[in-house]
């Protein structure tokens, strides 16, 4: 082995390794460069598939998936045909759902079935579950009976459940075996899975009774019983558990893999952390998109679908904006008398909206991460009360001074102060109570809170300022 | 082993296992119940520490950490004293930073040092890095020299870098060893780490040249060379890489562990996925808090600190709201003539704000997950342009019909339509261009986008409607 080899092992996306290639495939944040994507697409369009394959072959499957995502939509089908031989199951498993649909449409059912066969059950299911029923049936028919049965069973579990996430290939051994017995079993059975991180120990009824990290197996003499090495305390995942809940368990207990059990407590599969990492990232990022009404926020979603989902959200918000505007309508007499109110009211409602959004974001995240429970709900409400009061008094005082200096109208300034304090408290309480209430009603607070909260802060902002102005007849 | 034992293995937080305990410690979402927390706190307050310890002893370290977080702030110090013997490093590593500070303050430096000694370097660093410099020094003095050197070195790397995340205890073997040699080495050396998932193969200069999953070691006959089993393609993490970047690599390549190298390419540590899972969750959830101006959004942060950070954000937004209000002030003549404008202008600006927030959330997430690169930036801008146009025309037409039916003023209705379309396009472009621009300027788009974007949609919303009304002299 030459010195150069020693100093430059293959490193994914590290610029040192890439520097030697004429065309660097990755930028310094490990993303495919625009030039690289364009070059591959150009080769395909020029009918030079060999050249394109030569460029793509060294890439990691995750990067091949990225290539398809980054390529223009109309280039994806030709790209799929040209790179068909490089499109293995790992690439498809890494691909965005919408992009994968486009790619799969460029392949026939037999090719898809061949891809599905080489995958773990969970990855095959991830690919097949998104297809049309008819395409699904065609692919399933082309699979061999064992794979078909496994995938059909997985599809029988609810979407986003542990049953769909799990893989069936795992290592389970009886409790009376020794470490040496386990080692021999692993070495002699060629058809066992090669990718596992823990061994499950089961009793005669196939109930998991302990888990053993591979490092413990390796560190223990052959004649020790596996039951003496394993850890009895384990996190078992019921097969119908929601994937978000599974992800929270993995996080909380720092799991690498976990046994999945059916309703009778029998071991039926395992979930590994690499599948969970995607879910954690997705679930944590979902809240911001949900709170903003951006749907899935998937930049590869077809445009008409995106427009529809966003417009529905804006329509609902438009209805609530009209409600707020009607509050202004009721008090138009006050504005006619003093047009300055029309400028000040937007400040009161805007400040309330911003303060409520802060509180709401904190509450939604605390709920999603299981940090906010019945034990600390009152403490949280109390916190937000004090924060709202402090903000209302502090910022209200500031605005009042500004208002007095600008308009020289002490009545108007006092009303502004009162309205700011009222709306700040309204915002703080709405921001925490509305998500909490929705959660109690089993409605996703991330999706629905914003509409209610902004309606409350807008309406109350306008009502407080214009109502007080009317009441005290400021003009 | 009795039948009951077989049917009810220890399951973290599963209700079946808990049903047998008089006081169920977990609810059905695997969170500690309020009753349980209250009971423990009551025992401590009543001076009945034994009873409290008996309740807490069966809990997983992550649940003990939760107990401290859920307990009222003034109960945490007494709780720490009563449960001191159950407070091991694993518990502290799982604990919220602010809560841990309170707990550590109830212990002396020697106790903290004892805790730090039993931890992996990364967990010990996580605990020590948050302490005051003086406390840090005291704890470091109490550590034994090896641990101290390891922790001091880790602390010498930048915050949130791979160097702080990594642990030093790993298994590295020379490339010429056989699988049998590796097994013997692992069995015979008692002081090696027991928690590892992969073995690193290094050359004579301690450069990592390959990685070997433990399952491959276990599945391979003893006489095969480790170099023939290992995977040469590996993801190496430079010691100064930012933890967010590390997390993206783990996600992209579905890693379980990765070798960390110094600037000379030598193996200095490893990062494991269980440490990364927290970071992924945190970084993905951070965006929503940052975009809402809620700072860390940590519900355990001391109140004055939270009030300060939130008020600063609201102050900035207040300044921009005054800018928007001044636009109204400029056109107060138009409002005096037609007070209906004061209601309609809030609808135009509100719709723009909502549409911009959707676009902004999608852009911020796509940037954070490396989905948006120079290859597809223009496509993304084009998408948002079409979405904005569709929303502006669709919702604008709807509002125009409503306006006409309500006010019977065709001039006003036409101006409203024009303003809605203008502000929708303004919102869509601001929502995508401002985060992209900030990212180019190396400013975190999640933190700063909102202020600019809402200012643009508010000002433009008011300006478009009131300006057009003035221009066409609607009254």
């Amino acid at each position: 082995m030459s010195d150069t080899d020693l100093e430059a092992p293959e490193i994914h996306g590290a610029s040192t390794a890439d520097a030697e290639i004429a065309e660097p495939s990755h930028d310094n944040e490990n993303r495919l460069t625009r030039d690289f994507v364009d070059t591959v697409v150009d080769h395909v369009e020029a009918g030079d598939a060999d050249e394109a394959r030569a460029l793509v072959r060294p890439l990691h499957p995750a990067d091949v998936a990225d290539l398809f995502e980054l390529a223009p939509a109309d280039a994806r089908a030709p790209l799929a045909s040209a790179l068909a031989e490089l499109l293995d199951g790992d690439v498809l498993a890494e691909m965005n759902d919408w992009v994968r649909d486009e790619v799969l449409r460029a392949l026939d059912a037999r090719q898809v079935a061949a891809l599905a066969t080489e995958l773990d059950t969970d990855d095959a299911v991830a690919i097949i579950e998104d297809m049309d029923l008819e395409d699904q049936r065609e692919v399933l028919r082309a699979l061999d009976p064992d794979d078909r049965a496994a995938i059909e069973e997985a599809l029988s579990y609810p979407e986003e459940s542990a049953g769909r996430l799990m893989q069936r290939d795992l290592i389970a051994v009886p409790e009376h075996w020794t470490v040496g017995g386990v080692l021999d079993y692993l070495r002699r059975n060629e058809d066992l899975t090669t990718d596992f991180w823990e061994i499950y120990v089961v009793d005669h009824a196939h109930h998991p009774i302990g888990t053993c990290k591979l490092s413990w197996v390796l560190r223990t003499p052959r004649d020790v019983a596996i039951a003496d090495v394993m850890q009895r305390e384990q996190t078992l995942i019921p097969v119908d558990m929601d994937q978000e809940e599974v992800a929270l368990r993995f996080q909380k207990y720092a799991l690498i893999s976990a046994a999945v059990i059916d309703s009778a407590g029998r071991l039926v599969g395992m979930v590994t952390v690499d599948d969970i990492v995607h879910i954690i990232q997705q679930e944590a990022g979902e809240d911001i998109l949900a709170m903003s009404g951006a749907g899935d926020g998937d930049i590869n979603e077809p445009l008409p679908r995106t427009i529809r989902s966003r417009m529905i959200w804006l329509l609902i918000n438009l209805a609530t904006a009209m409600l707020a505007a009607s509050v202004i309508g009721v008090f138009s007499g006050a504005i006619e008398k003093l047009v300055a109110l029309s400028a000040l009211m937007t400040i009161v409602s805007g400040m309330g909206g911003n303060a409520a959004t802060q509180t709401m974001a904190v509450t939604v995240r605390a709920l999603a991460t299981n940090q906010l429970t019945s034990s600390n709900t009152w403490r949280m409400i109390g916190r937000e009360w004090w924060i709202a009061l402090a903000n209302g008094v502090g910022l209200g005082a500031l605005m009042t001074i500004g208002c007095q200096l600008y308009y020289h109208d002490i009545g108007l300034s006092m009303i502004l102060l009162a309205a700011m304090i009222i709306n700040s408290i309204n915002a703080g309480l709405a921001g925490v109570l509305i998500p909490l209430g929705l959660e109690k009603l089993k409605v996703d607070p991330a999706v629905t809170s914003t509409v209610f909260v902004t309606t409350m802060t807008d309406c109350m902002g306008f009502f407080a300022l214009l109502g007080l102005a009317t009441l005290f007849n400021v003009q």
Side-chain angles (χ1 to χ4, degrees), chain A:
Chain A
M1 191 174 256
S2 78
D3 256 330
T4 336
D5 277 325
L6 293 178
E7 271 158 26
E10 285 187 70
I11 303 175
H12 290 137
S15 46
T16 47
D18 293 329
E20 300 175 4
I21 310 174
E23 178 96 61
S25 55
H26 291 76
D27 65 15
N28 55 14
E29 289 186 54
N30 193 33
R31 305 171 301 195
L32 292 179
T33 63
R34 184 174 175 181
D35 279 349
F36 181 84
V37 175
D38 288 349
T39 310
V40 173
V41 170
D42 288 349
H43 280 311
V44 170
E45 279 174 1
D48 201 354
D50 283 341
E51 197 68 32
R53 278 195 293 270
L55 281 171
V56 175
R57 194 166 286 117
L59 295 184
H60 186 280
D63 283 315
V64 181
D66 280 357
L67 172 69
F68 278 88
E69 290 173 22
L70 293 175
D74 54 5
R76 285 173 194 155
L79 210 54
S81 311
L83 304 178
E85 65 185 76
L86 301 175
L87 271 180
D88 59 15
D90 289 339
V91 173
L92 288 181
E94 292 287 336
M95 212 176 271
N96 173 278
D97 290 355
W98 296 105
V99 176
R100 186 167 59 209
D101 275 0
E102 290 175 45
V103 169
L104 289 180
R105 248 179 272 130
L107 307 174
D108 62 32
R110 200 168 303 274
Q111 280 176 299
V112 177
L115 288 170
T117 309
E118 53 173 279
L119 285 177
D120 289 333
T121 336
D122 58 326
D123 288 333
V125 168
I127 291 174
I128 292 174
E129 69 182 354
D130 290 330
M131 304 177 80
D132 298 337
L133 268 185
E134 200 175 319
D135 292 345
Q136 260 188 25
R137 238 174 275 138
E138 206 173 329
V139 171
L140 286 171
R141 259 200 305 273
L143 284 173
D144 74 61
D146 279 359
D147 288 335
R148 189 186 337 169
I151 290 176
E152 277 177 340
E153 202 202 313
L155 289 173
S156 75
Y157 296 115
E159 274 187 51
E160 311 213 325
S161 70
R164 295 234 176 161
L165 274 181
M166 72 185 184
Q167 57 199 68
R168 258 139 247 281
D169 286 335
L170 52 80
I171 307 293
V173 300
E175 52 181 319
H176 57 79
W177 281 18
T178 61
V179 167
V182 172
L183 285 174
D184 294 341
Y185 167 73
L186 290 176
R187 288 215 190 103
R188 285 181 199 149
N189 288 273
E190 296 245 317
D191 53 343
L192 292 178
T193 176
T194 45
D195 287 337
F196 54 98
W197 308 100
E198 287 172 315
I199 288 173
Y200 302 104
V201 182
V202 291
D203 65 15
H204 56 88
H206 218 65
H207 294 131
I209 56 165
T211 308
C212 192
K213 291 189 191 181
L214 296 190
S215 56
W216 300 343
V217 176
L218 285 169
R219 297 290 314 273
T220 308
R222 285 183 64 94
D223 54 351
V224 175
I226 193 83
D228 293 337
V229 190
M230 72 183 189
Q231 184 175 23
R232 282 180 191 277
E233 193 178 73
Q234 52 183 344
T235 302
L236 301 178
I237 308 284
V239 74
D240 56 356
M241 184 182 265
D242 185 79
Q243 64 175 23
E244 188 169 359
E245 192 62 30
V246 178
L248 284 171
R249 302 281 160 109
F250 265 75
Q251 254 177 283
K252 180 165 178 179
Y253 299 122
L255 305 177
I256 298 293
S257 75
V260 180
I261 51 172
D262 63 15
S263 54
R266 281 185 304 257
L267 179 66
V268 291
M270 72 168 172
V271 177
T272 51
V273 71
D274 50 317
D275 298 315
I276 294 298
V277 159
H278 285 279
I279 293 169
I280 293 173
Q281 198 268 334
Q282 187 188 321
E283 299 275 351
E286 243 172 36
D287 286 347
I288 191 178
L289 297 165
M291 263 183 66
S292 312
D296 293 338
D298 187 331
I299 63 171
N300 292 298
E301 189 181 48
L303 195 56
R305 232 185 114 98
T306 308
I307 290 179
R308 195 176 339 128
S309 74
R310 290 218 209 156
M311 203 185 277
I312 290 170
W313 173 263
L314 292 177
L315 256 177
I316 299 169
N317 277 281
L318 205 52
T320 68
M322 280 161 64
L323 191 69
S326 73
V327 173
I328 301 175
V330 169
F331 295 106
S332 56
I335 296 176
E336 267 174 354
K337 283 189 201 154
L338 187 62
V339 77
L341 289 172
S342 68
L344 293 177
M345 71 184 184
T346 64
I347 293 178
V348 177
S349 70
M351 212 274 295
N354 288 323
T357 304
Q358 293 179 328
T359 307
M360 189 165 55
V362 173
T363 310
V364 164
R365 282 308 298 155
L367 284 170
T369 51
N370 263 351
Q371 286 186 72
L372 188 54
T373 76
S374 56
S375 309
N376 55 358
T377 298
W378 280 107
R379 198 184 326 151
M380 176 84 175
I381 297 171
R383 264 178 75 87
E384 292 302 334
W385 159 265
W386 287 113
I387 295 169
L389 190 66
N391 282 333
V393 171
L395 300 173
L398 197 74
M399 280 309 298
T400 304
I401 294 167
C403 178
Q404 182 61 24
L405 292 175
Y406 193 81
Y407 293 110
H408 305 289
D409 179 339
I410 187 72
L412 181 64
S413 301
M414 283 299 123
I415 281 170
L416 180 62
L417 176 62
M420 291 276 286
I421 295 176
I422 291 171
N423 205 29
S424 182
I425 291 172
N426 167 56
L429 294 182
V432 63
L433 292 176
I434 288 176
L436 278 171
L438 291 168
E439 172 92 354
K440 274 249 181 279
L441 298 172
K442 311 264 174 219
V443 179
D444 184 350
V447 178
T448 29
S449 294
T450 313
V451 173
F452 292 109
V453 170
T454 54
T455 307
M456 294 227 9
T457 53
D458 275 358
C459 289
M460 181 55 89
F462 299 147
F463 179 77
L465 186 75
L466 301 179
L468 287 171
T470 305
L471 191 65
F472 293 101
N473 199 21
V474 175
Q475 46 193 295

